[in-house]
C-alpha cells in the first residue's frame, strides 16, 4: 500500500502529514530540534511507525520543506566562502548598488552581504570575456590554481566562481571548475553561469556567493537526513520544496541550494491554493501564522504571484520565489514595553526553546500563546493534540509581571491588548500586499493556516473588511500537506539581450529550445517523463534604456510571438506602473518552467460520524469588546459533519489548531470538510 509523508520544519513545531489510500490522514506536531532539524523529522517517522501508520505499506513519497538554508544565513552559520572573480572586479560584492533601505538614517550600516566572502577571501584571476561572449584574455590557469590554493589554505569550505560575462560564455568558469574539482575535490563549488546566468554583476555575484555559503550546510543536512530515513526503512526518494512552489529531488536541490530559501513558507501557499481549488475559490489571501512568523501571500486566479528576485535578510537574491510577505508575528512572539511604555509584540520570539512561559521550559517573557491561554482560547491539556502541556499559572505570572502591572491593567486586559497589537501588525502586513499594490482585500477570501491562523483569522478579517474565511481540515499542518499537493517543477533561465524590433520568431524559438532541453534533462533526472510536463515560457522585458524589467508570459505558438510579447509587456507595464506608451522595447532574459503532472492523491480526512457528540465542554473566555468573561461552547471539529452550521461565539478545537468563532460570524462545514466562516449580513 502506497504511503505519502510530508514534513515541514517551522521555527517552533515540525509538522507531519501521512496519507494512504482508504484511510484517514494522520497528522503530527513535534517540537522543532533547532540544533539539528533533521532529528525532529526522524522522530516523526518513528512516531508514525509506533502509531501503526506505516504498517503493511511502503512509503512511496517523502516530501520535505526546510528552513535550513534560511537559518544558515540569518544565524550567520554558513560555510567559509572564497570568491574567484575577473581581475578588477574583486569588490563588486561589497560595492553593490546605491539603493538604501533607510535613506535618512543617521547611522548607516552596510547593505551588501560582504560577510559572505570578506575581502581577504576574494581573489582576482586574469581572464576576460567581452560583452559579445568572445574571449579577450584567456584564463590564466596557473594563477587560478594559485589563488584557489591560497583560499583553501585559509580554510574555505566553498568557492564561488564569478567571471565577467560568464552568462554569455561560461567556458572559463567551467574550465576553472574542472581544474578545482581535480585539485580540491572536497571543496564545494558554485558557478555564476549555473546559479544565475543573467546580467548585472552585483546581483549575479551575490546570489552565487549565497549559493556557495549554504551549499555545504544543505548538502550535509540532506546527506544526514537521507541516511537516517534509509535506516528507518523509508526507501522513497527525498523531494524538497523550492522557493517558487515546485518540488525537486534531493540530488538536484543539493546542486542549487539557493533555490530553497522559502522552502517551508512556499509549501503553505501551495496548500492554500489546493484548498481554494477544491472549494471553488480562486482569489485568496493566505495567512500562515506559526510560532515564530506570519507568512502572507496573495493568490489570484488560483496561482500565487511569482517574483523573479527576492531577498534574504534584506539582501537581494535573484531567484524565482513565491511573493510572500513574512513578518515577525506568531504564537511565540514576545510582548514587551518600549521606552515610552507602549505595548509591543515581536519580532523576537521564544521559539520552541525555551518557548512561551506556559511551556514550563524556563521562558519568563509573556508571549501571544500565553495571552491566548489566559483568555481561555486554548485548552491547556489539548495543545498540539496534547503533546505539549500548558501551565496557565506560568502564563498569568508572565503577563502580570511583564505587561499588566506596569500598565495598570488586569491580566485579561493585558492579554487582549497583546492580541490587538499582534492583529494590527498582521493586518498591516496584509495591506502591504493588497492595498499598496492596487488590490482591494474585501474582494478576496482569507485562508487561515498555521497553528495560530484560525485563532486570529476573524479579527484580521474584521479589520480588513473581509467577509469570508476558509479554515482547511488540517490548518495547523497545511504546509506539510501542501508539500504533498505540489508538483515537481524546474526553471531554467538564460541571458538574451535582443531588441524586439530586430528579433525574429525563429531565433526566439531556437533560444527557448536550448533552455527547454536543460529543463527536460532535470525532469528526466527526477524519473519523470519530460513529454508529460506543462511548459510555460517567460521573457524579462523593458523599454530600451530602462534599467528595470517586467516578467512577460510568451506564447510561441501565437500568430506573431514578438508582437504578442510587446503588447503583453505594455499591458503589464500599465497595470503595475499606471501608464503605457509606445516605445522600443527589448528582451533581457528568457525563462522556461517545466511542471510535471500532479501525483495521484491518496488518503483523505477522517469522515465524522453523524451523531457524534459535537460539544466537548463549555469554557469562560474573554472576547474583544466584552467587559467580562462569557461562557461559550467548545466544539469538537472532528465530530462536525458536512452541511452543519455553527453560530458564534464558540471555540472549535482540533488536534492541530483552534478556531475562534466570535459573535456575528457563523461556520459552515463544506463537503470537503473545510470550515467556511462568514460574517452575518
Amino acid at each position: 500500500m502506497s504511503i505519502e509523508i510530508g514534513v515541514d520544519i517551522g521555527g517552533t513545531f515540525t509538522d507531519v502529514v501521512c496519507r494512504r489510500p482508504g484511510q484517514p490522514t494522520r497528522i503530527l506536531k513535534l517540537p522543532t530540534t533547532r540544533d539539528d532539524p533533521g532529528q525532529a523529522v526522524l522522530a516523526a517517522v518513528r512516531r508514525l511507525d509506533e502509531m501503526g501508520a506505516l504498517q503493511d505499506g511502503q512509503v512511496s513519497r517523502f516530501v520535505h520543506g526546510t528552513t535550513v538554508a534560511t537559518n544558515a544565513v540569518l544565524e550567520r552559520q554558513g560555510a567559509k566562502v572564497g570568491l574567484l572573480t575577473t581581475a578588477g572586479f574583486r569588490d563588486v560584492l561589497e560595492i553593490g548598488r546605491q539603493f538604501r533601505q533607510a535613506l535618512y538614517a543617521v547611522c548607516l550600516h552596510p547593505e551588501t552581504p560582504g560577510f559572505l566572502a570578506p575581502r581577504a577571501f576574494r581573489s582576482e584571476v586574469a581572464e576576460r570575456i567581452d560583452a559579445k561572449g568572445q574571449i579577450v584574455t584567456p584564463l590564466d590557469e596557473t594563477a587560478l590554481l594559485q589563488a584557489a590554493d591560497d583560499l583553501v589554505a585559509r580554510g574555505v569550505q566553498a568557492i564561488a566562481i564569478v567571471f565577467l560575462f560568464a552568462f554569455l560564455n561560461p567556458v572559463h568558469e567551467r574550465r576553472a571548475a574542472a581544474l578545482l574539482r581535480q585539485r580540491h575535490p572536497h571543496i564545494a563549488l558554485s558557478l555564476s553561469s549555473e546559479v544565475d546566468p543573467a546580467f548585472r554583476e552585483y546581483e549575479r555575484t551575490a546570489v552565487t556567493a549565497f549559493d556557495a555559503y549554504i551549499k555545504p550546510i544543505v548538502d550535509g543536512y540532506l546527506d544526514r537526513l537521507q541516511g537516517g530515513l534509509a535506516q528507518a526503512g523509508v526507501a522513497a526518494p527525498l523531494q524538497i520544496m523550492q522557493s517558487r512552489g515546485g518540488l525537486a529531488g534531493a540530488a538536484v536541490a543539493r546542486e542549487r541550494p539557493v533555490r530553497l530559501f522559502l522552502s517551508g513558507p512556499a509549501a503553505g501557499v501551495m496548500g492554500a491554493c489546493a484548498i481554494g481549488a477544491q472549494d471553488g475559490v480562486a482569489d485568496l489571501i493566505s495567512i500562515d501564522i506559526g510560532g515564530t512568523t506570519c507568512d502572507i501571500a496573495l493568490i489570484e486566479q488560483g496561482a500565487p504571484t511569482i517574483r523573479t528576485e527576492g531577498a534574504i535578510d534584506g539582501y537581494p537574491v535573484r531567484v524565482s520565489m513565491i511573493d510572500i510577505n513574512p513578518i515577525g508575528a506568531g504564537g511565540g512572539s514576545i510582548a514587551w514595553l518600549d521606552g515610552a511604555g507602549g505595548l509591543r509584540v515581536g519580532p523576537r520570539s521564544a521559539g520552541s526553546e525555551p518557548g512561551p512561559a506556559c511551556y514550563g521550559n524556563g521562558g519568563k517573557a509573556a508571549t501571544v500563546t500565553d495571552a491566548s491561554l489566559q483568555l481561555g482560547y486554548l485548552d491547556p491539556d489539548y495543545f498540539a493534540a496534547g503533546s505539549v502541556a500548558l501551565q496557565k499559572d506560568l502564563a498569568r505570572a508572565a503577563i502580570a509581571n511583564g505587561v499588566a502591572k506596569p500598565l495598570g491593567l488586569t491580566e485579561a486586559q493585558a492579554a487582549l491588548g497583546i492580541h490587538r497589537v499582534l492583529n494590527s501588525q498582521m493586518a498591516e502586513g496584509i495591506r502591504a500586499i493588497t492595498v499598496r499594490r492596487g488590490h482591494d482585500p474585501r474582494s478576496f477570501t482569507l485562508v487561515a493556516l498555521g497553528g495560530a491562523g484560525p485563532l486570529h483569522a476573524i479579527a484580521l478579517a474584521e479589520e480588513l473588511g473581509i467577509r469570508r474565511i476558509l479554515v482547511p481540515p488540517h490548518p495547523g499542518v497545511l504546509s506539510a500537506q501542501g508539500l504533498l499537493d505540489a508538483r515537481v517543477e524546474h526553471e531554467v533561465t538564460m541571458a538574451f539581450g535582443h531588441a524586439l524590433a530586430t528579433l525574429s520568431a525563429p531565433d526566439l524559438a531556437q533560444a527557448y529550445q536550448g533552455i527547454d532541453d536543460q529543463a527536460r534533462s532535470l525532469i528526466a533526472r527526477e524519473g519523470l517523463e519530460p513529454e508529460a510536463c506543462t511548459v510555460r515560457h517567460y521573457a524579462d522585458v523593458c523599454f530600451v534604456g530602462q534599467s528595470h524589467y517586467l516578467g512577460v508570459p510568451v506564447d510561441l505558438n501565437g500568430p506573431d510571438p514578438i508582437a504578442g510579447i510587446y503588447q503583453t509587456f505594455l499591458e503589464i507595464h500599465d497595470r503595475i506602473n499606471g501608464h503605457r506608451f509606445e516605445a522600443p522595447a527589448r528582451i533581457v532574459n528568457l525563462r522556461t518552467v517545466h511542471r510535471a503532472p500532479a501525483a495521484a492523491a491518496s488518503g483523505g480526512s477522517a469522515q465524522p460520524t453523524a451523531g457524534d457528540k459535537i460539544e466537548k465542554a463549555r469554557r469562560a473566555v474573554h472576547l474583544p469588546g466584552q467587559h467580562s468573561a462569557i461562557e461559550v461552547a467548545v466544539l469538537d471539529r472532528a465530530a462536525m459533519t458536512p452541511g452543519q452550521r455553527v453560530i458564534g461565539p464558540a471555540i472549535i478545537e482540533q488536534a492541530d489548531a483552534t478556531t475562534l468563532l466570535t459573535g456575528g460570524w457563523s461556520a459552515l462545514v463544506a463537503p470537503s470538510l473545510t470550515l467556511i466562516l462568514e460574517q452575518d449580513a
Side-chain angles (χ1 to χ4, degrees):
M1 185 178 291
S2 176
I3 301 171
E4 298 178 336
I5 299 176
V7 182
D8 175 63
I9 296 179
T12 303
F13 285 103
T14 294
D15 301 333
V16 185
V17 169
C18 179
R19 302 193 309 206
R20 59 193 302 173
Q23 295 192 16
T25 298
R26 300 287 190 100
I27 65 171
L28 288 175
K29 291 182 79 73
L30 288 77
T32 293
T33 50
R34 289 195 171 188
D35 291 341
D36 184 359
Q39 292 302 312
V41 179
L42 298 177
V45 173
R46 291 192 295 269
R47 182 78 64 83
L48 288 171
D49 192 28
E50 293 168 358
M51 294 166 56
L54 306 184
Q55 291 180 1
D56 302 322
Q58 183 175 4
V59 178
S60 60
R61 295 184 68 209
F62 197 99
V63 192
H64 184 31
T66 176
T67 56
V68 168
T70 304
N71 291 342
V73 175
L74 298 180
E75 298 170 5
R76 301 294 189 267
Q77 297 295 319
K80 186 176 289 187
V81 174
L83 175 65
L84 294 176
T85 188
T86 304
F89 290 83
R90 181 181 182 183
D91 296 319
V92 165
L93 186 66
E94 207 136 22
I95 295 172
R97 299 283 176 192
Q98 293 198 14
F99 304 129
R100 293 293 178 266
Q101 296 180 18
L103 187 61
Y104 300 106
V106 176
C107 298
L108 297 179
H109 301 281
E111 296 189 12
T112 54
F115 69 90
L116 295 174
R119 199 170 197 274
F121 293 88
R122 303 194 296 263
S123 298
E124 298 179 350
V125 177
E127 70 84 37
R128 191 64 178 255
I129 290 174
D130 65 17
K132 295 182 179 179
Q134 303 298 316
I135 296 176
V136 176
T137 303
L139 174 65
D140 187 335
E141 297 184 359
T142 301
L144 170 81
L145 292 174
Q146 288 177 346
D149 290 345
D150 179 64
L151 291 174
V152 172
R154 291 170 179 265
V156 301
Q157 300 161 293
I159 294 178
I161 305 175
V162 187
F163 290 157
L164 190 65
F165 293 115
F167 57 89
L168 295 177
N169 184 353
V171 61
H172 284 174
E173 284 195 353
R174 291 177 180 174
R175 177 57 180 165
L179 292 171
L180 295 188
R181 288 190 178 106
Q182 184 177 10
R183 183 88 153 224
H184 302 289
H186 63 289
I187 298 295
L189 300 179
S190 294
L191 282 62
S192 74
S193 54
E194 295 177 355
V195 174
D196 183 33
F199 85 116
R200 287 189 176 147
E201 288 306 296
Y202 168 60
E203 288 79 2
R204 185 163 57 96
T205 302
V207 72
T208 307
F210 269 117
D211 190 80
Y213 187 73
I214 64 175
K215 182 169 282 187
I217 308 302
V218 172
D219 188 71
Y221 170 74
L222 293 180
D223 187 63
R224 293 191 303 273
L225 180 57
Q226 286 181 296
L229 290 174
Q231 291 181 358
V234 177
L238 177 62
Q239 294 180 318
I240 309 296
M241 172 63 75
Q242 301 178 94
S243 299
R244 62 168 291 123
L247 302 176
V252 176
R254 289 186 183 197
E255 296 172 4
R256 308 188 294 179
V258 76
R259 296 173 184 251
L260 305 182
F261 276 137
L262 286 185
S263 176
V269 179
M270 299 312 294
C273 290
I275 291 296
Q278 86 178 3
D279 289 296
V281 184
D283 295 329
L284 306 162
I285 298 170
S286 73
I287 181 158
D288 184 354
I289 309 174
T292 306
T293 60
C294 168
D295 297 315
I296 307 165
L298 192 71
I299 299 168
E300 293 185 276
Q301 298 180 359
T305 302
I306 303 295
R307 294 184 296 176
T308 56
E309 180 176 322
I312 178 70
D313 201 21
Y315 303 115
V317 179
R318 195 160 59 183
V319 173
S320 292
M321 56 181 64
I322 293 177
D323 189 5
I324 296 175
N325 181 25
I327 61 176
S333 294
I334 294 174
W336 53 284
L337 303 181
D338 61 20
L343 177 60
R344 302 293 185 90
V345 181
R348 286 194 306 120
S349 173
S352 59
E353 300 172 4
C358 59
Y359 280 18
N361 292 331
K364 300 298 182 182
T367 68
V368 176
T369 298
D370 294 310
S372 300
L373 184 61
Q374 175 65 32
L375 294 171
Y377 301 160
L378 301 178
D379 183 344
D381 298 321
Y382 193 59
F383 185 71
S387 62
V388 179
L390 304 183
Q391 301 180 44
K392 193 170 183 177
D393 56 334
L394 295 180
R396 182 185 298 109
I399 293 172
N401 296 330
V403 180
K405 290 180 181 178
L407 295 180
L409 303 173
T410 66
E411 287 86 352
Q413 289 172 332
L416 284 170
I418 291 171
H419 266 240
R420 185 173 180 180
V421 170
L422 184 84
N423 291 335
S424 178
Q425 292 172 180
M426 293 189 290
E428 192 60 31
I430 294 176
R431 291 189 184 99
I433 66 165
T434 54
V435 177
R436 295 182 189 176
R437 299 182 186 179
H439 298 287
D440 186 347
R442 294 173 296 181
S443 62
F444 288 78
T445 297
L446 192 67
V447 182
L449 57 142
L455 196 61
H456 297 268
I458 287 180
L460 294 174
E462 289 180 340
E463 185 160 343
L464 296 163
I466 297 173
R467 300 182 63 87
R468 182 169 58 175
I469 302 167
L470 300 183
V471 181
H474 303 294
V477 295
L478 190 64
S479 290
Q481 184 171 324
L483 294 167
L484 299 178
D485 294 329
R487 307 184 191 184
V488 172
E489 184 179 87
H490 287 296
E491 177 192 69
V492 179
T493 305
M494 69 173 289
F496 190 76
H498 287 75
L500 288 176
T502 60
L503 181 63
S504 69
D507 288 342
L508 181 65
Q510 184 177 3
Y512 273 116
Q513 180 65 42
I515 56 177
D516 280 334
D517 288 343
Q518 295 179 50
R520 279 190 284 267
S521 176
L522 291 171
I523 291 291
R525 290 179 58 185
E526 307 280 6
L528 301 171
E529 291 293 334
E531 293 75 17
C533 291
T534 301
V535 179
R536 296 285 185 270
H537 294 131
Y538 302 89
D540 294 331
V541 185
C542 64
F543 290 114
V544 173
Q546 192 178 31
S547 298
H548 297 282
Y549 49 78
L550 298 173
V552 175
V554 176
D555 182 7
L556 292 177
N557 298 318
D560 189 343
I562 307 301
I565 291 173
Y566 185 66
Q567 290 302 319
T568 305
F569 167 65
L570 294 181
E571 293 170 3
I572 295 175
H573 192 282
D574 184 35
R575 185 174 72 246
I576 292 178
N577 299 313
H579 67 278
R580 61 183 290 167
F581 54 90
E582 302 287 334
R586 67 189 182 102
I587 293 178
V588 177
N589 304 307
L590 300 180
R591 293 196 312 281
T592 184
V593 178
H594 288 227
R595 193 181 192 197
S602 65
S605 298
Q607 294 294 326
T609 302
D612 284 356
K613 186 177 180 181
I614 297 174
E615 185 172 322
K616 298 171 60 176
R618 298 191 68 83
R619 187 187 306 156
V621 300
H622 296 268
L623 296 176
Q626 300 288 339
H627 295 294
S628 58
I630 63 172
E631 189 176 85
V632 303
V634 180
L635 308 180
D636 182 2
R637 183 172 180 181
M640 297 175 68
T641 56
Q644 190 166 25
R645 184 182 295 273
V646 175
I647 306 299
I651 290 176
I652 304 173
E653 288 187 343
Q654 59 191 103
D656 57 312
T658 297
T659 301
L660 177 63
L661 189 67
T662 57
W665 287 77
S666 63
L668 174 68
V669 184
S672 63
L673 299 185
T674 295
L675 276 182
I676 302 176
L677 311 186
E678 292 183 314
Q679 191 172 26
D680 297 343

